[in-house]
């Protein structure tokens, strides 16, 4: 939880830029607990398969998640990563399990479970890593795909 205050000049700037001026000065962040684990399987001396499960736990009431109670809502995330020689990796996973109205149901009564799939790949040379992800931001029948590319540089020197 935190509080904020705007000066008259800041309020004027918000007004002139057509931003809403908040009516309350207290913001709250709902608690969240992320629990996860991964296990690596060596398939050969250079190829590893990594399996991961993460549980995103929220405590602010029932949400549209796979497990939902008045106390906690749990959104599981599952993923697999195949690493080749610590240089190349291929990834796949699913998350954001939700119930939604079934497409084509004119009565808006039938529900179906949907989820967000993702695929990706990574390439690493020394301390530079390039990752690519392809994911669906909407439900499976009305896809809204996005491409995510990231570049990481490890500035820490590895000790042998």
């Amino acid at each position: 939880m935190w509080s904020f205050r705007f000066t008259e000049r800041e309020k004027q700037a918000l007004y002139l830029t057509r931003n809403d001026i908040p009516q309350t000065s207290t913001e709250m962040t709902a608690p969240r607990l992320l629990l996860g684990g991964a296990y690596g399987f060596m398939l050969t001396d250079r190829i590893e398969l990594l399996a991961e499960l993460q549980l995103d736990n929220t405590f602010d009431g029932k949400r549209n998640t796979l497990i939902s109670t008045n106390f906690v809502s749990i959104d599981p995330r599952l993923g697999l990563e195949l690493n080749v020689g610590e240089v190349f990796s291929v990834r796949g996973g699913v998350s954001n399990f939700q119930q939604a109205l079934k497409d084509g149901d004119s009565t808006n009564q039938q529900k179906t479970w949907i989820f967000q799939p993702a695929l990706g790949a990574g390439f690493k040379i020394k301390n530079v890593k390039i990752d690519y992800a392809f994911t669906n931001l909407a439900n499976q029948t009305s896809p809204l795909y996005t491409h995510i590319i990231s570049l990481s540089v490890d500035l820490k020197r590895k000790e042998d």
Side-chain angles (χ1 to χ4, degrees), residues 64 97-115 138-142:
N64 188 6
F97 294 89
Q98 294 184 6
Q99 271 201 319
L101 294 174
K102 200 171 198 176
D103 288 345
D105 174 27
S106 60
T107 64
N108 287 332
Q109 299 295 316
Q110 297 177 353
K111 292 188 176 184
T112 185
W113 281 100
I114 62 170
F115 58 90
N139 70 33
Q140 292 89 357
T141 57
S142 303

Side-chain angles (χ1 to χ4, degrees), residues 41-79:
F41 304 90
M42 292 305 296
L43 302 178
T44 70
D45 60 335
R46 293 181 33 91
I47 300 176
E48 177 188 25
L49 180 65
L50 183 68
E52 180 203 9
L53 169 65
Q54 182 178 357
L55 302 174
D56 185 354
N57 302 275
T58 53
F59 304 92
D60 58 348
K62 279 190 171 187
R63 290 187 178 201
N64 188 6
T65 59
L66 192 61
I67 301 167
S68 184
T69 69
N70 288 331
F71 174 69
V72 64
S73 293
I74 303 173
D75 186 17
R77 299 172 183 164
L78 305 166

Side-chain angles (χ1 to χ4, degrees), residues 11-26:
K11 288 180 186 177
Q12 183 67 20
L14 286 170
Y15 176 77
L16 292 174
T17 56
R18 297 180 189 211
N19 285 289
D20 291 333
I21 300 172
Q23 300 300 312
T24 179
S25 65
T26 303

Side-chain angles (χ1 to χ4, degrees), residues 17 22 79 85-86 118 124 126:
T17 56
E86 296 184 21
K124 181 179 175 184
K126 295 188 180 183

